[in-house]
Amino acid sequence: MKSRSEWVLPVLTAAMLVAALYLAFVWAPTEKTMGHVQRIFYFHVPSFFTAVVAFLVGMVAGIRFLMSRDFRFDELAVSSNEIGVIFTSVNLVTGSVWAKPIWGVWWTWDARLTSAFVLWLMYVGYLILRRSVDEPGLRGVVAAVFSIFAFVDVPIVYMSIRWWRTQHPQPVMFSTEGTLDPQMCLVLYFCLLAMLVLYLCLLQIRRRVERLRHETEGLRRLVHSA
Amino acid sequence: MEETLKWLWIGFSCAWVIHLLYVVSLGRRAKKLRDELESLKAMVEERRGK
């Protein structure tokens, strides 16, 4: 039986996602030049920022693991980074679907798209790397060091549209340059909040799975060593 | 307008299919680990009994 506190986050997540859907599909005004497809923006942009938060948590947890060798931090790092990969996948896929009717292509190798794809590849590499090391202590150390290097790409992705000429629109979040409609801006920030709550909910579930994996691994070693 | 709605629907579906598949994969992983843990615990108990 799950305790009441374990249900709070999933229920809150579901409620916020339903509200986010209503705001994005009904309440937000339709963009004049792109039409309804622009509403992808309310999932595309928050997915990226949620992935950034997930990778940041993963990196900080990795550093804490290096300092303390406490496996709870390693558990948090792998859980958060894996969820970050999921949100980056959503960002890349929704971006590609948005690009097709607007740019006429599914994909173009411009600075923003390429750096975001490299970010996704690096964190997929992180997950593969973890699977290739058997010894838990060494696995945690190697993964933590790798995640610190992988995180370097996050500011590159964010700044890529300022540093290089790209097809991608200029930033609208955490920027003073954007000229986003206030109603659209409100929906965007609400969707970001909903995605962050979804991240916390997934993190709660993923950490439970990781704890179970850790326990199983420990017992497997005990059985095979006896 | 109809055309842009079609792309919005595709993008929206892709986003939620990815999340849904991930949640399903977490459930399957948890179940597999729980089963393995149970069998390992049974093995340990069996060895203790001998």
Side-chain angles (χ1 to χ4, degrees):
Chain A
M1 278 291 280
K2 282 182 179 177
S3 67
R4 191 181 284 183
S5 65
E6 281 181 79
W7 284 108
V8 171
L9 206 49
V11 170
L12 180 68
T13 307
M16 287 195 73
L17 287 176
V18 169
L21 288 178
Y22 173 78
L23 291 175
F25 283 86
V26 182
W27 196 70
T30 307
E31 211 267 344
K32 283 180 190 136
T33 46
M34 287 187 268
H36 287 301
V37 74
Q38 181 271 344
R39 293 176 199 271
I40 287 181
F41 164 77
Y42 301 114
F43 301 97
H44 173 72
V45 178
S47 293
F48 173 72
F49 281 98
T50 310
V52 170
V53 170
F55 293 144
L56 182 68
V57 170
M59 183 189 67
V60 172
I63 293 170
R64 293 294 304 272
F65 174 75
L66 289 176
M67 287 160 67
S68 65
R69 293 295 193 273
D70 184 341
F71 279 97
R72 282 177 303 174
F73 291 118
D74 183 51
E75 184 188 288
L76 176 62
V78 63
S79 304
S80 193
N81 285 332
E82 190 180 283
I83 297 167
V85 170
I86 298 301
F87 278 101
T88 312
S89 307
V90 170
N91 174 259
L92 288 172
V93 171
T94 52
S96 187
V97 172
W98 191 3
K100 181 64 183 159
I102 303 301
W103 296 345
V105 287
W106 291 100
W107 185 265
T108 175
W109 293 102
D110 89 340
R112 168 55 75 86
L113 276 73
T114 307
S115 56
F117 182 59
V118 168
L119 182 74
W120 181 83
L121 279 180
M122 283 205 286
Y123 278 94
V124 168
Y126 166 91
L127 296 173
I128 294 170
L129 179 72
R130 287 191 68 95
R131 281 173 170 261
S132 64
V133 184
D134 282 333
E135 207 278 305
L138 181 66
R139 179 171 57 215
V141 170
V142 170
V145 172
F146 188 91
S147 76
I148 295 167
F149 284 105
F151 193 79
V152 171
D153 193 34
V154 171
I156 296 175
V157 178
Y158 184 74
M159 295 304 289
S160 59
I161 43 182
R162 295 165 193 259
W163 290 342
W164 296 288
R165 189 182 296 173
T166 121
Q167 250 182 296
H168 196 279
Q170 287 302 301
V172 287
M173 285 183 86
F174 313 117
S175 164
T176 51
E177 295 161 28
T179 51
L180 196 64
D181 175 271
Q183 209 173 337
M184 286 180 171
C185 205
L186 199 67
V187 177
L188 180 66
Y189 282 107
F190 185 85
C191 287
L192 174 63
L193 193 66
M195 289 279 180
L196 288 172
V197 175
L198 174 64
Y199 158 72
L200 289 177
C201 183
L202 290 174
L203 189 66
Q204 188 186 47
I205 301 169
R206 180 62 183 86
R207 286 190 76 183
R208 224 177 287 147
V209 174
E210 191 58 24
R211 237 169 276 146
L212 210 56
R213 197 197 56 73
H214 197 74
E215 201 182 336
T216 310
E217 201 176 63
L219 207 59
R220 203 187 296 141
R221 278 172 197 279
L222 187 77
V223 166
H224 292 306
S225 65
Chain B
M1 217 48 137
E2 283 295 308
E3 181 69 9
T4 62
L5 257 179
K6 182 189 88 180
W7 289 106
L8 171 64
W9 174 244
I10 294 170
F12 172 74
S13 306
C14 287
W16 295 110
V17 162
I18 292 169
H19 282 297
L20 197 70
L21 287 177
Y22 182 60
V23 172
V24 170
S25 89
L26 284 180
R28 289 181 68 163
R29 267 192 271 178
K31 189 190 175 305
K32 199 178 158 194
L33 285 167
R34 235 175 269 128
D35 291 346
E36 190 183 348
L37 195 63
E38 285 305 310
S39 71
L40 285 168
K41 277 179 181 169
M43 277 171 78
V44 170
E45 285 300 312
E46 202 180 277
R47 283 185 188 180
R48 275 197 193 138
K50 278 183 184 174

